[in-house]
Amino acid sequence: CVVEYTRMPPDVQHEPAAEVEQPKKNRPKATPLRQQKLAAWQPILTASTVLPTVFCVGIVFIPIGIALVLASQGVEETFLKYAKHCESAGVNCKLTLTIPKDYTGDVYFYYYLENYYQNHRRYVKSRNDQQYLGNINETSDCAPFEKINGVPIVPCGAVANSLFNDTYVLRRNGDVDPVPMTTEGVLWDVDKDRKFKNPPGYNPNDPPETRCAPFANTVKPPNWKNRVCEIPNGLENVDFIVWMRTAALPNFRKLWRKLDRMKGGAYANGLPAGDYILEITNNYPVTTFSGDKGFVISTTSWAGGKNNFLGIAYLVVGGVAIALGVIFVAIHVRFGHSMAELGNVSNQR
Amino acid sequence: MSPYQEKPSTSSHVSTLPSGASGRGVKGHHRRTSSLWIPPSRPTFYNPGESIRQTAEDGGKALKQLVPPFMRRFLGEKRERGESRTVIPNNEKNPPARFDHPSRKYADNRISTTKYSLLTFLPKNLFEQLHRAANIYFIFIIILNMIIEAFGRYISMLPIAFVLLVTAVKDAFEDYQRYRSDIKINHQTCRVWDSSQGRYRKMEWKNILVGDFVHLSHDEIIPADILLLKSSAKSGTCYVETSNLDGESNLKQRQVARAMGKYHSLTCEMPFSPDEFNYRVVVEAPCTDVYKFDGHLESPDGFPPIARDLSILGKDNVLLRGCAVRNTDFVEGIVLYAGSDTKAMLNNSGPRYKRSQLEKMTNWDIIWCVLILLALCTTGAVLSGVWLASFDNPLQVPFLTYPTHPSPTPSKPTDLSTTPNPAYEAFINFWSYIIVLQVMIPISLYVSIEIIKLGQIYFLSQDVNLYYEKVDKRIQCRALNIPEELGQIEYVMSDKTGTLTENEMIFRRCSVIGKDFGGQSIAGVEGKNTRGRQGRHSKDRALETLLATTVKASDVSSPLYSFFVALSICNTVVVNARPHEDTLDSFGDIIVEEREEEERAEREDKAEMERDRQQGAYHNVQFDVREEMETEMNERSTSSGGDTVHPDMIELSDLSGSDDKKKEEKKGEEKKEEGKKEKKGILAAHSRHSLISLARLQRFKDVTQGPFRRIMDKRASTTTLPDIPPPISFYDSESPDELALVEAAKEYGVRLMRRHFEEVTIHMRPSGQYVKYKILHVLPFDADRKRMSVIVRETFNQSRLVLLTKGADATILPVLSQEWSESEDGIKTINKAQEHLSDYAREGLRTLCICRRYLDEEDYAKWKILHEEAELDPHHKENLLRESFERMERDLELIGVTAIEDRLQDGVADTIDHLRRAGIHVWVLTGDKVETAVNIAYSSKLFSQSMHLLNLSSTGVTVVSDLLDIHLARVNSVEEVTSEGSFGLVINAVSLEYCIHPDNIDRFCQLLRKCESVLCCRATPLQKASLVRLTKQNLKAKVLAIGDGANDVSMIQGADVGVGLSGQEGMQAVMASDFALARFRFLSRLLLVHGHWCYHRLALVILYFFYKNAMFVLCIFWYQIFNGFSSQVPIDPIYLMVYNFLFTSLPSLIFGFLEQDGSSAVLLSHPILYDHGILNKKYRWYSFWLNMVDALWQSAAVYFIAHFTFIDAECDMWTFGILLCTQLLFVNSLHLASIVQLWTIPMVISIVGSIILFFFFALMYNLLVTPEWAVKDTPSLIAERAVIDVRFWLVVLLSSIIALLPRFIYTITRNSIFPSRLITAKMEEKSRNRVKSSTVQRP
């Protein structure tokens, strides 16, 4: 049987209700995210729109620059390079220096090394932080200074081996007592607490013979004069810890001592002006790598040591920003108006 | 004895019905089988432990799959390549249990397209991932690091672990999708012969074994490669649609094996039961060739041997997996190949991977990155050697790690690392640099790009503007990795029919006996018909009257009569009283017209709803039912087909009337009747039939991607009732044109009632007669001949033989009868017809010529012999058949011309206009003839009036060559005068061949480049594809192909971006496409907005990645100058490793998802902005280098500001490193911020969040780190100390400004002095909005 369904005449035709009822399950949800119509800020970067920003940069940067320059100017610093001078003098080398005016506040004593690549990869790598925590038999990664004839070196590694060993005594001209210096505040607490520990049983106040018991069956690094147990505080020695924090750049200073103002006297407010004599134990070789070494006496400021770079850079950038702002104003005046009148988009490139 | 077997006949649904069906009560027919039996979905046969064993076996199979193929051979698995397989039918009375069935040695029908299983995922995925070049690089670096140890051993694995993880998750997800689709396919059911019970049972595909007998109904998808043994058609043929396999949408005829001929006798039918099949099938081993099949039948021992000519099997006997059974009630066959052995699976080569142009450019730049990396590494390495050599006595230098006096390790005195050796140092440092500077090659780029593309695709698919409400379809993104290609399309190649047009053919006009009919009524109909798309045929009263007179006069020789007969029968339209009906239901039960009560009730509810909805339409149905009933009654004394109609209804029939008034009356009557019937429950019986088919249809709906099918009510079929088709009959046809013609004929009262293979019946309404024609031959349509014919014999009067032909005018006019066309009548007809043809074409109508030829018996007999020979010729069948067709299709008499309208889709003209204004060349490739196509081209704005049209439709190399010269000269001369001239080219596909002749191709391409629009007429699918290829190769342009039909598949696949329109012509185009749209008009938004965005985003993100990594690397490299080129990195390796994916990836991903350089409104209103992508403005060859230069500047700014701030000062390496890292992060983030043009909340959060995350990470890390973490010089509290130093922040601020200054100045200057079109457009938009808001505020 043929059941056939012919088309209806148009007048009978009506919209079937079903069309409306039908669920549109494939219809995408009309959320702003899905339709990519999120509320948005659409800046158009033109001379006129960025003008405020550019001037703001200028207005902010110039004062910062001035402040930085002033801060840098306020830092007092005496910088002595002595490698040349002491080359002939041998181990005990004396230098005279003049502090032109009083260094008030905290005064820091640094040693300075030039052309010294403490950031050389193999040098940086050659250490074992586990050992410095007292596990004296750990020497992995310390090559080539890990063991001598099978006996572990403590502290092992190239960094430790090359420990800077010049020492300084600063004396005011005519004084018998040297300028008081302290290691207090030289170290970061975290280093002392978490990175360097003597092996158990080590007591810095013990006599040398017993002090070295925890370090039994170890040898000193080849370049060292003494075993680590023989230097003050063993592995927690301040100079050692400071040295072990490798410097980022080949010319660097490392904090050696601070002025001990607690002792009072003439140094309570800082380092008074005058002539001083620096007595150097000149141990460290620098000529082999055509380097230099130095001694720095410096105060500090909120913006670090004496360095004008940042301040000048800020001033320059601030100036450039202002100049740019002026140029942008000119561009805006010259081209800004025509833009709105450009009108027909398709007439252009 | 199964119920199935006791049935007298199964050959057609008509005869399956019990003979006493008519005159039964309301409930109808007796039950044949208990419908209570519901077989389990997965048949568990006798052994309850079978399932357990099977599971174990499957596990074993999975394990086996782990083993690579070459190993399997050693493990004893025999491949059957080159051998043949013998298929033993699974029809023994007492079959062995299926799990140890002999056929199990062949693959069963379970398919698995997944790459992994749970067990194999980890090793296999890792193995695969580690194959990729990028990952090999990673591994190489890691191994290198194990040796050199530039970084901590484990830290360096972080990036690869991350990349591997992300990729693994993605792969797992994709594989899971495949697994799900496999499951879905494996769980499809079909009916398989269960010989133990002697009946077909529903079974899941995966359990089908080789040798099984399967039963398939109309529209069912073939589950495996099957030898056709039984067809419901008496002729033993069946039709399959092979589009899933080869993309051809025309139906292919398949023939039962010759040995089965006895079951298909036309006169004496024999029922077939699989039990009776006692041959073995010997077939070749599985192979991929779809067009090849060898095999034969064998008798088993002890049976008489089978005659050789009966035993041969060919490809015509085989139904391949994936095809669909069409126009046949049911077929039965034996499985030859199952599952992975089927041709479909062997040919399934997995998803295509398209590479976008941007990606290709990226790859080049990555090669540049490698070169830069190598250059940096070499420089660094050499300089490190030089630096070492500069020391006179390296052993004395304290920071050089050479053991001083005495050698602490005397055992290895020659160890290179302990003696200073510049060459060795350089060598080691080279590798070390490769590790340290590895990020120069932005490996994370690949992962990021993939994620960004996924995100873009997600947003693309979510666009409500690409959603077509009417069919509830959104855009489908089938290719996930080419969204940015959408932004770079230069050529759009579009199909016409169904793509630009609705593909809903409506018969508009015709020209018969020298007169034009229907011309006037178009306007009227269109005017009234607001909905348009369902426009009715415009019925020309004059024609109707004329026809009525002719018919009443029985003037069968009149051209008018022949014309309408030809419209009705010269086609492949199949009338189905209902959907093809199989008497076996899906469970293998025989359908009778009764169901379980509850089931029926449920269905009735459905039907009731259905009916309510369709109230108005219903009357007509019943009217037709009655009319049809009459037919049935007249035709057959024994009720055979019309089983379901209650006799009551027949009483209502009143056949004579056909005028509308009478109809109206009847409708009223009907309504009353209906009410009555409903009370009596008659309606239930009445609708029974349709209900069954409904159920069937519903099931098929999921699986069919069928041919063009039109249900008589279009509104119902296309849009409103996808789930429950109304109770109706179907005209099934491949071509919508044919349907339009058949329907038109019906409107005029010549109605195709029934088509059998040997006979058609048409009903002449004016006379009320049923006229039958014997069909002797059908000469099918093909693209070369562009015509089709039927040879029929009249069953009245003289029983003349008539050839009815319809075809394109170009192929019809040359074959007209010489004699006739020289007669006065003929000349007049032809002249008129040609005049009308061009009229119609001008209106954009599709025309067909209808011809006839009365044949001599003698001639016919002669031809028939030759034709049959041709058909049987095994080798040159195709050629011989073609010749045979030509012998027949000549000396025709033109009787009329038809014009069919194919309406343009809404918005097509605007879209094409948009695309053209965007600088995209739009080509329309159509099979239509030139005039029609040109008209459509004008109405779709492909051509504009101001355009110079160039015509290229000659044949012959030299002629075309001359034409090309002329056209080029013209183009050049116009261009000299004005730059405004635009050109449109019309090509006839015939001349295409000459255009691409080596002599012409260069000039042809030159011409193509000059032409904005190209219209290619009469193009075959292959020509379309070759044009796409030509454009890609010779014009070196990005091509998008859009089409909706199977004939566009090769074009779509060949294009850079294939877009399928999910229209009415099935799913083939969609399946082949990368994106599937519901309407053509979505194309402009897809390209101009989404394409633009995606391209813009990706181009910028890729450049940003290059810049970011280069900057990082250069920054590290600057530091090398100050550390002896020792490849030391001041930045803690852990930041180095996570910097790319923790601190800087999210903002760039968000940028890739959300960035818009212009809103969609701006982009759409200024299509010209699309040239960003076409001209590749965002990613030029030098873009990479500009970014490198920028990176160089920025890295220098970052490094040296830090350097000079801390030179000579007390600053340790890690502090310096964290400062550098912070600067880098700030500069990178600000750099990104400077290119962001759309500041949304997620963007802000991601940038700020990344910076906060960095500080959180750094502070936490430095707080928690201990020496156990294997980081050299444990950076305890470094970050905490660094951030409290005011210089840290001052440096960060200063370097951010200085680093970005050049780019900033450049951008501002360019935007202010030479604003891009985009900027101008945006400013316009802004000022317009400002004006708008101010005018709103004023009142």
Side-chain angles (χ1 to χ4, degrees), chain B residues 70-130:
Chain B
F70 63 91
M71 291 282 284
R72 276 185 224 159
R73 198 163 298 179
F74 291 108
L75 291 174
E77 188 176 319
K78 261 203 217 148
R79 299 301 303 167
E80 39 173 355
R81 297 252 173 258
E83 299 159 29
S84 60
R85 65 159 65 170
T86 306
V87 176
I88 298 161
N90 300 348
N91 60 356
E92 308 96 285
K93 266 275 174 280
N94 297 308
R98 285 182 80 81
F99 50 82
D100 50 25
H101 198 280
S103 298
R104 281 220 65 139
K105 67 177 181 235
Y106 303 121
D108 67 10
N109 208 33
R110 180 195 304 269
I111 56 153
S112 169
T113 56
T114 55
K115 276 205 230 151
Y116 318 106
S117 70
L118 272 184
L119 206 66
T120 62
F121 179 76
L122 206 62
K124 222 174 159 186
N125 184 261
L126 265 182
F127 181 72
E128 249 174 45
Q129 286 205 45
L130 297 185

Side-chain angles (χ1 to χ4, degrees), chain B residues 293-304:
Chain B
F293 172 78
D294 278 330
H296 60 272
L297 293 176
E298 264 181 15
S299 287
D301 303 336
F303 283 85

Side-chain angles (χ1 to χ4, degrees), chain A residues 85-106:
Chain A
H85 177 86
C86 294
E87 200 174 2
S88 50
V91 173
N92 292 311
C93 172
K94 279 190 186 167
L95 272 175
T96 54
L97 58 104
T98 310
I99 304 285
K101 63 183 211 186
D102 288 354
Y103 286 8
T104 49
D106 282 339

Side-chain angles (χ1 to χ4, degrees), chain B residues 502-555:
Chain B
E502 297 279 5
N503 203 14
E504 290 189 351
M505 304 298 170
I506 297 165
F507 181 84
R508 281 298 185 208
R509 299 170 75 166
C510 61
S511 158
V512 210
I513 52 171
K515 281 193 195 115
D516 168 38
F517 293 102
Q520 312 79 10
S521 50
I522 293 178
V525 169
E526 273 181 346
K528 258 190 280 175
N529 191 353
T530 45
R531 285 172 59 89
R533 93 188 27 259
Q534 274 122 37
R536 292 162 47 79
H537 301 154
S538 46
K539 210 149 126 185
D540 191 313
R541 290 283 170 200
L543 182 60
E544 197 177 14
T545 322
L546 211 58
L547 178 66
T549 338
T550 316
V551 169
K552 278 185 186 141
S554 290
D555 184 5

Side-chain angles (χ1 to χ4, degrees), chain B residues 914-940:
Chain B
H914 259 85
L915 295 181
R916 278 188 41 219
R917 284 201 283 143
I920 300 174
H921 300 250
V922 183
W923 294 19
V924 171
L925 316 179
T926 170
D928 281 352
K929 67 170 162 304
V930 178
E931 295 81 9
T932 315
V934 167
N935 278 297
I936 291 281
Y938 274 112
S939 57
S940 62

Side-chain angles (χ1 to χ4, degrees), chain A residues 1-8 10 13-16 18-19 22-28 33-36 38-47 50 54 61 64 68 110 112 115-117 119-125 127 129-130 133 141 144-145 147 149 158 162 188 190 194-195 223 244-253 255 284 288-289 302-304 307 309-310 313-314 317 320 324 328 331 335 339 342-343 345 348-349, chain B residues 148-149 387 391 396 398-399 401-402 404 408 417 425 429 432 458-459 462-464 467 469 472 474 531 536 577 613-614 617 620-621 624-625 628 641-642 645 712-713 715 720 722 727-729 743 746 751 1097 1119 1122-1124 1126-1128 1156 1166 1199 1201 1203-1205 1208-1213 1216 1237-1240 1263 1265 1267-1268 1271-1274 1276 1278 1281 1286-1287 1290 1293-1294 1297-1298 1308 1311-1315 1317 1320 1323-1324 1326:
Chain A
C1 152
V2 178
V3 181
E4 192 146 4
Y5 188 60
T6 54
R7 198 171 284 124
M8 283 182 297
Q13 225 166 36
H14 57 88
E15 289 283 331
E19 198 162 320
Q22 214 166 35
K24 304 288 185 194
K25 60 178 183 213
N26 284 329
R27 187 191 184 94
L33 176 66
R34 293 194 196 197
Q35 297 311 316
Q36 307 192 53
L38 287 172
W41 175 54
Q42 296 186 62
I44 302 173
L45 296 179
T46 59
V50 297
V54 172
F61 271 43
I64 293 179
L68 279 170
Y110 303 88
Y112 168 84
N115 221 3
Y116 191 100
Y117 288 81
N119 55 10
H120 191 277
R121 180 174 60 85
R122 295 213 275 157
Y123 179 84
V124 170
K125 248 177 63 174
R127 63 189 288 152
D129 294 298
Q130 295 278 358
L133 278 172
D141 294 343
F145 302 98
K147 284 175 182 163
N149 300 324
S162 61
W188 297 1
V190 64
R194 287 166 54 175
K195 291 172 74 176
N223 284 359
M244 290 308 282
R245 184 178 288 281
T246 50
L249 297 169
N251 298 351
F252 60 89
R253 60 175 77 163
L255 186 56
Y284 209 72
T288 49
F289 53 94
W302 60 270
N307 186 343
F309 171 76
L310 259 189
Y314 263 87
V317 171
V320 167
L324 264 184
F328 285 168
I331 290 178
F335 298 97
M339 196 124 53
L342 280 175
V345 175
Q348 294 158 54
R349 277 183 311 138
Chain B
I148 309 241
E149 232 184 293
W387 180 80
F391 295 101
Q396 297 299 319
F399 52 83
T401 53
Y402 299 108
T404 40
S417 64
E425 178 79 8
N429 267 333
S432 180
Y458 169 77
F459 281 119
Q462 291 298 324
D463 191 342
V464 80
Y467 166 79
E469 199 140 5
D472 190 29
R474 60 168 85 168
R531 285 172 59 89
R536 292 162 47 79
R613 209 159 14 155
Q614 303 248 333
N620 292 37
V621 173
D624 284 336
V625 166
E628 201 56 48
V645 179
M712 302 311 282
D713 181 294
R715 186 193 52 215
T720 61
I728 41 163
S729 79
E743 282 179 37
K746 184 170 138 274
R751 184 169 146 198
R1097 293 163 180 169
Y1119 186 60
F1122 304 100
N1123 70 18
S1126 62
S1127 69
Q1128 175 61 27
Q1156 296 175 8
H1166 302 290
Y1199 177 76
I1201 290 172
H1203 180 95
F1204 286 116
T1205 306
D1208 294 346
E1210 187 194 22
C1211 176
D1212 68 283
M1213 210 167 57
F1216 193 68
Q1237 296 183 45
L1238 186 84
W1239 283 96
T1240 54
L1263 187 67
V1265 68
E1268 279 84 27
V1271 186
K1272 292 279 166 197
D1273 191 8
T1274 320
S1276 296
I1278 290 287
R1281 284 191 149 269
V1286 68
R1287 280 177 297 176
L1290 290 173
L1293 178 63
L1294 182 70
I1297 300 286
I1298 292 184
I1308 300 296
N1311 284 357
S1312 304
I1313 303 179
F1314 312 107
R1317 276 193 284 248
T1320 324
M1323 303 219 318
E1324 246 178 47
K1326 248 189 183 171

